[in-house]
Amino acid sequence: MFKFFYCLMLPLLLSAATEQTLSIIKPDGVANHHIGDIIQRFEKNGLRVAAMRLVKLTSEQAGSFYQEHKERPFYRDLVTFMSSGPIVALVLEGPDAIAKNRELMGATDPKKAAPGTLRADFAKSMDQNTVHGSDSSTSAIREIDFFFAPYQIH
Amino acid sequence: MTAQRTLSILKPDAVGKNHIGDILSRFEKGGLKVVAAKMKHLSKGEAEGFYAVHKERPFFKDLVSFMTTGPVLVLVLEGPNAVTKNRDIMGATDPKKADKGTVRADFAQSIDENCVHGSDSPENACKEISYFFADTEICPRTR
């Protein structure tokens, strides 16, 4: 009996846990008409869109989203950039969604991003680097909550 | 050419099959800008209200039940001749009759589950946009 149960459970235990992560297509990605290109990469790589909306952040909202970088020298420019035009906020869901999304995005600096990653293909510079993705499960929870109420996540 | 706006809906079949990116890239490459977007699961009342013009048609009940089977992505697209342009990109209502390379020819299974909705006139576009979006939810493309 135990053996039977174990055989049933083993694949579940070994498979990666389903996670949610927050992704943002930044003002440069939206302005350069890459919304579809970017979402295609997510959908073709096992991440499903569970929530999505286009929004233009005020500088106060952008400042609050990036509050952990408040003391960093790049903070003011980042806030200005993130409120320069509409963005697309997304909740992506799938196995290891946080790591998977970061792998698809590539390194923060597009010059250092691996070929075939979003930043290598679509980003112009370290400042305008096309996409944001949560860096941990703690930030994913905070960032998803920043943009979406539970009823908006499907 | 002045910019025009139209309402587009990616229906539950398109969202369920993970074709959001595929379809949005068709719009963007066709010169249409996304100026509003939200994913939502329509209630029966919302779907009935949206399709109220078809209330007396035989397909009304099935259409409403299909549109509420899963989340949809509601969009406002903007560009020159957006209403016609969007209809060109979508293709004929019946995927079997849709031209090659259109969204319905490539992604839709049947006339009932045909992936996308698009306003059929500029007047209806205005009505449909205001059915789903407040003015504050529409983001003029400053860049």
Side-chain angles (χ1 to χ4, degrees):
Chain A
M1 184 62 198
F2 176 76
K3 204 170 170 186
F4 175 70
F5 185 70
Y6 186 74
C7 288
L8 274 179
M9 292 305 288
L10 192 61
L12 288 176
L13 293 171
L14 292 178
S15 68
T18 296
E19 273 178 347
Q20 290 186 338
T21 189
L22 186 91
S23 164
I24 299 178
I25 303 175
K26 298 187 181 183
D28 60 320
V30 173
N32 296 328
H33 318 295
H34 290 314
I35 303 173
D37 294 327
I38 295 168
I39 296 177
Q40 259 179 336
R41 301 273 179 105
F42 297 145
E43 293 182 311
K44 292 195 190 321
N45 288 281
L47 296 176
R48 134 190 131 73
V49 178
M52 171 168 169
R53 70 189 184 102
L54 183 92
V55 59
K56 187 174 182 300
L57 297 178
T58 62
S59 50
E60 291 74 23
Q61 288 167 326
S64 151
F65 183 77
Y66 284 112
Q67 57 183 299
E68 61 181 328
H69 298 316
K70 210 167 179 167
E71 307 304 325
R72 309 283 287 276
F74 58 77
Y75 177 74
R76 233 180 104 181
D77 286 347
L78 178 63
V79 167
T80 305
F81 165 58
M82 287 301 289
S83 51
S84 65
I87 60 161
V88 176
L90 301 149
V91 176
L92 303 175
E93 188 178 274
D96 286 326
I98 296 168
K100 186 76 205 171
N101 180 36
R102 294 183 73 80
E103 186 189 313
L104 295 173
M105 290 194 300
T108 308
D109 182 351
K111 283 190 222 96
K112 293 175 190 157
T117 60
L118 291 170
R119 284 173 177 146
D121 291 346
F122 303 122
K124 299 271 188 284
S125 70
M126 181 124 171
D127 304 316
Q128 307 212 358
N129 65 0
T130 310
V131 275
H132 164 90
S134 308
D135 62 5
S136 68
S137 49
T138 311
S139 23
I141 291 167
R142 181 186 84 82
E143 294 177 2
I144 290 170
D145 181 62
F146 186 92
F147 283 104
F148 298 99
Y151 79 92
Q152 295 173 307
I153 305 171
H154 306 282
Chain B
M1 183 90 55
T2 54
Q4 196 179 56
R5 284 176 180 175
T6 190
L7 186 92
S8 165
I9 303 179
L10 274 52
K11 298 186 182 182
D13 57 325
V15 172
K17 289 175 189 158
N18 299 314
H19 288 314
I20 298 174
D22 293 327
I23 298 171
L24 290 182
S25 66
R26 303 275 175 109
F27 296 147
E28 291 179 294
K29 288 177 191 5
L32 296 174
K33 291 177 179 177
V34 181
V35 294
K38 63 180 164 191
M39 184 180 264
K40 63 184 285 158
H41 196 137
L42 299 181
S43 67
K44 186 165 174 267
E46 283 171 322
E48 283 173 347
F50 183 72
Y51 284 115
V53 288
H54 297 316
K55 205 157 63 189
E56 305 304 329
R57 307 286 286 277
F59 57 77
F60 180 70
K61 223 178 122 183
D62 287 347
L63 178 62
V64 166
S65 81
F66 164 60
M67 289 299 289
T68 55
T69 53
V72 299
L73 185 69
V74 197
L75 303 156
V76 179
L77 304 175
E78 185 180 87
N81 290 316
V83 172
T84 312
K85 185 78 207 172
N86 181 37
R87 295 183 75 80
D88 290 346
I89 294 171
M90 291 194 298
T93 308
D94 182 352
K96 285 191 221 95
K97 294 176 189 156
D99 288 337
K100 268 189 194 165
T102 60
V103 167
R104 284 175 178 146
D106 292 345
F107 304 118
Q109 301 302 301
S110 70
I111 192 160
D112 302 313
E113 304 208 357
N114 65 0
C115 271
V116 276
H117 165 89
S119 309
D120 61 5
S121 69
E123 298 71 35
N124 284 335
C126 286
K127 285 184 204 156
E128 293 180 359
I129 291 169
S130 62
Y131 187 82
F132 283 113
F133 292 101
D135 286 347
T136 51
E137 292 177 292
I138 300 174
C139 307
R141 292 282 287 263
T142 49
R143 54 175 292 167

